Amino acid sequence: MSGGKQAQVKGVTYAEAGVDIAAGNALVEAIKPLARSTRRKGADTVLGGFGGLFDLKACGFRDPVLVAANDGVGTKLKLAIDTGRHFGVGIDLVAMSVNDLVVQGAEPLFFLDYYATGKLDVAAARAVIAGIADGCKQAGCALIGGETAEMPGMYHGADYDLAGFAVGAVERKKILPAKGIGPGDVILGLASSGPHSNGYSLIRKIVALSGLGWDAPAPFAKGMTLGEALLTPTRIYVKPLLKAIRAGKGVKALAHITGGGFLENIPRVLPKGAVADIDLAAVPFPPVFQWLRQVGTVDAREMLRTFNCGIGMIVVVAAKDAKAVATGLRRSGEKVVTLGVIRRRTGGEDQVAVSGSLG
């Protein structure tokens, strides 16, 4: 055995494996002010704990039922990554969950996010979370926590993925859809801000067919690039709808028009014996959808089951209250159209019957 000194072997570090703990800590510090800006009754803790705290009693509920929803942004993320525009998808992430909560009559209380990437880009991540904070403020809920995962080998290049989790509450006796939906009830539609966060795999394919780059002028939106226009964030309907519900003016059901469009989302809130008669001529069908239909030669049924086609939320209301509800929603900043009525279902017909044509 040699009497010489044993050679020192340098150990492998986590950073050498591709995970930068310092960058993660820098991100946490950067987003603390964003989270603080979303504080509301029941949520006044700061980020950094093992879990987010929320005081339900402080919100004044008497007999609350908790409602939870989670969602992502889908392949709209690829567009955000390719264009370097990350703020809007943070709003999308919140919108897709809180709009699902309000359709059950629930007030969104708090939100948590999950951000996963191969190599953490602090600036991009902060932009996303700034969008999340903005969406939370629009919805009146608090950003009380989240998780950032840096996973080299799982994601390619600058790719990242998002998931969002929202929790709300509703008084037990006010859960939607309400009982008594039936013939004669009026169907109102609230305008969308664009494709929201659905159908982007088809959108990306259509854009590829068009031959346009993301930085080309948008053929359907003056003064905007194609990428900028298609990244328009999802509209958050929470505050106007909660105001309408609390006014007690006959709101019976709400349906968030996401993937599946009218054909698959409206039946989710109807009793088995009801059919929604929709007049497609009343749908605003904005230029972005006209362009997608034309360039992709997409047939009407495919449009209706893939996109919202200009209507992001459906409101079913008693006929006697339809005018008051529509007026109140317009005063809250919503564009409202009357789409049709509820009628009795006969035989095994579909629960959404459409007439007329889009655009």
Side-chain angles (χ1 to χ4, degrees):
M1 186 173 189
S2 170
K5 292 182 179 180
Q6 187 172 355
Q8 295 294 314
V9 178
K10 183 183 177 183
V12 179
T13 67
Y14 211 6
E16 289 172 334
V19 178
D20 190 343
I21 294 175
N25 291 337
L27 177 61
V28 171
E29 290 304 312
I31 65 178
K32 280 182 178 180
L34 298 173
R36 282 197 297 269
S37 72
T38 69
R39 285 179 176 176
R40 52 153 294 156
K41 283 186 179 180
D44 57 5
T45 56
V46 296
L47 295 184
F50 286 94
L53 302 177
F54 192 90
D55 182 359
L56 187 58
K57 186 177 180 181
C59 297
F61 288 95
R62 296 183 178 183
D63 185 22
V65 174
L66 294 179
V67 185
N70 73 292
D71 211 335
V73 179
T75 57
K76 191 174 186 178
L77 286 178
K78 282 295 295 178
L79 178 47
I81 293 164
D82 290 347
T83 61
R85 293 176 174 270
H86 307 286
F87 179 83
V89 291
I91 298 174
D92 289 314
L93 187 68
V94 176
M96 296 306 288
S97 286
V98 297
N99 284 341
D100 279 353
L101 293 185
V102 77
V103 300
Q104 293 180 273
E107 174 189 347
L109 301 176
F110 60 86
F111 189 85
L112 301 99
D113 68 273
Y114 176 76
Y115 180 104
T117 185
K119 178 67 175 176
L120 183 59
D121 179 333
V122 174
R126 189 194 180 282
V128 170
I129 297 168
I132 291 171
D134 187 272
C136 285
K137 286 186 281 189
Q138 290 185 44
C141 63
L143 176 59
I144 66 169
E147 173 69 10
T148 302
E150 193 173 22
M151 299 187 288
M154 288 288 289
Y155 296 90
H156 175 71
D159 286 353
Y160 60 84
D161 198 10
L162 298 174
F165 309 84
V167 173
V170 57
E171 296 289 359
R172 192 178 306 273
K173 292 182 179 180
K174 295 184 179 180
I175 296 173
L176 296 179
K179 294 179 180 179
I181 298 172
D185 287 340
V186 174
I187 304 165
L188 303 176
L190 306 188
S192 68
S193 56
H196 285 181
S197 295
N198 298 106
Y200 274 80
S201 293
L202 178 54
I203 288 172
R204 288 166 53 241
K205 185 173 181 64
I206 292 171
V207 170
L209 288 172
S210 78
L212 296 175
W214 297 125
D215 58 352
F220 51 84
K222 187 176 181 180
M224 301 178 76
T225 66
L226 182 59
E228 183 182 7
L230 289 173
L231 281 169
T232 299
T234 304
R235 188 165 184 82
I236 294 176
Y237 301 97
V238 170
K239 291 181 179 179
L241 288 176
L242 286 178
K243 185 176 180 180
I245 292 167
R246 289 165 180 168
K249 295 294 185 181
V251 174
K252 294 186 174 183
L254 303 169
H256 185 197
I257 306 304
T258 56
F262 290 170
L263 305 181
E264 295 181 18
N265 287 293
I266 297 176
R268 296 166 69 179
V269 300
L270 297 181
K272 296 297 182 184
V275 169
D277 261 334
I278 303 290
D279 178 8
L280 296 180
V283 175
F285 205 55
V288 58
F289 296 110
Q290 297 175 33
W291 183 80
L292 290 167
R293 180 178 64 178
Q294 179 183 358
V295 175
T297 58
V298 185
D299 68 41
R301 186 170 181 83
E302 189 69 11
M303 291 294 297
L304 285 170
R305 66 191 297 268
T306 305
F307 302 118
N308 65 60
C309 294
I311 297 294
M313 186 70 71
I314 292 291
V315 184
V316 179
V317 63
K320 65 182 178 63
D321 297 316
K323 183 177 180 180
V325 171
T327 298
L329 288 167
R330 289 188 183 106
R331 286 174 178 166
S332 295
E334 298 301 323
K335 295 179 181 178
V336 186
V337 296
T338 299
L339 295 174
V341 296
I342 301 295
R343 64 169 170 82
R344 186 170 285 106
R345 190 181 187 192
T346 58
E349 67 176 319
D350 292 339
Q351 284 195 278
V352 177
V354 297
S355 59
S357 58
L358 291 169

